[in-house]
Amino acid sequence: MSDDESPKVTTRSPPAFNVPPATLWAVLFLAGVFAGLRLGPKAWSPWMLDHLAFSTRNFAQALDTGPLLAGLAPLVTHSFIHIDPLHLLLNLGFLVAFGSFVERSYGMAWFIVVFLAAAAVGALTQYAVSSQESVMIGASGGVYGLMGAYVPVLSLLRSGNRWRGGLGFIAVILVLNLVLGPLSALGDMFGAPIAWQAHIGGFVLGLGAGFALLGWRRRRIARR
């Protein structure tokens, strides 16, 4: 990426209700895909699930026999699909909250890279730890990646209610993920099992990317 796309880390408080462009377009895109599944032809839904959702079985087959591209694309495209309205609203809410901070702190290009990379790493994590065939959809892996990338920005504050409140909120989300995720596989209370391992994989990717980008920015400033 060019110097213009290098991470420009800032800790200034963003204005209320001012969603940066890439985050806003991501929200509109996910909402549009959901609307298409609900309002479009009935054939759209099964086609998207067959070709865009991440299936551990299809991924394993693609690795063994190919075509490899067809198996790799769902690592990212699964994050575009939501069937349950509550699932969509939760992901959009977290996307606006954490995506806005990440885009303002590191830039539009890095927002996109972190989101897509975290979605892919989340899917790979789910594949690596899954003991049975599963199909995964939803932007949660990418959203958790943005959450992880925001932690280094919070670490710059070191004081004040925003720092403590932000880290505390993220810690609560992670604990709930670790508690409710395994429980979701035991019954139908959540409608479908939660891919909590994918969330953790996405978060770790985002956390590492955030600290790496922050360190890169500091080194560039030091050399000037």
Side-chain angles (χ1 to χ4, degrees):
M1 294 189 178
S2 66
D3 289 344
D4 293 338
E5 294 176 319
S6 60
K8 303 174 182 178
V9 180
T10 177
T11 59
R12 291 181 300 173
S13 298
F17 308 111
N18 184 17
V19 182
T23 302
L24 179 59
W25 280 111
V27 168
L28 295 176
F29 177 73
L30 295 178
V33 173
F34 176 79
L37 285 170
R38 284 301 184 96
L39 304 176
K42 292 183 178 180
W44 285 11
S45 182
W47 185 90
M48 285 189 175
L49 290 176
D50 288 341
H51 293 84
L52 304 182
F54 179 76
S55 165
T56 55
R57 181 185 64 181
N58 292 345
F59 183 69
Q61 290 178 346
L63 292 179
D64 290 337
T65 62
L68 185 58
L69 181 60
L72 293 180
L75 290 173
V76 171
T77 58
H78 78 274
S79 63
F80 305 152
I81 304 174
H82 298 81
I83 294 178
D84 178 66
L86 180 59
H87 187 203
L88 173 69
L89 290 175
L90 285 174
N91 278 338
L92 292 186
F94 286 131
L95 178 59
V96 169
F98 295 108
S100 296
F101 284 120
V102 169
E103 183 176 351
R104 290 192 182 98
S105 299
Y106 303 111
M108 180 186 298
W110 287 111
F111 161 82
I112 297 172
V113 169
V114 170
F115 178 81
L116 296 180
V121 169
L124 289 172
T125 303
Q126 188 71 18
Y127 172 76
V129 303
S130 180
S131 59
Q132 57 186 2
E133 294 180 1
S134 61
V135 176
M136 187 173 70
I137 59 173
S140 300
V143 168
Y144 270 76
L146 297 173
M147 186 190 308
Y150 181 52
V151 171
V153 179
L154 282 174
S155 71
L156 295 178
L157 301 179
R158 295 295 185 187
S159 62
N161 293 330
R162 181 182 170 190
W163 176 67
R164 291 190 296 269
L167 289 182
F169 180 65
I170 291 173
V172 168
I173 295 175
L174 292 176
V175 170
L176 287 175
N177 181 73
L178 293 174
V179 172
L180 299 180
L183 289 177
S184 68
L186 303 179
D188 298 327
M189 62 181 298
F190 296 94
I194 298 173
W196 62 274
Q197 299 98 325
H199 299 171
I200 298 301
F203 179 83
V204 171
L205 181 282
L207 185 67
F211 278 111
L213 291 170
L214 188 60
W216 179 25
R217 176 63 176 171
R218 285 173 169 171
R219 289 192 297 272
R220 290 185 71 250
I221 292 176
R223 289 197 295 265
R224 290 177 180 176

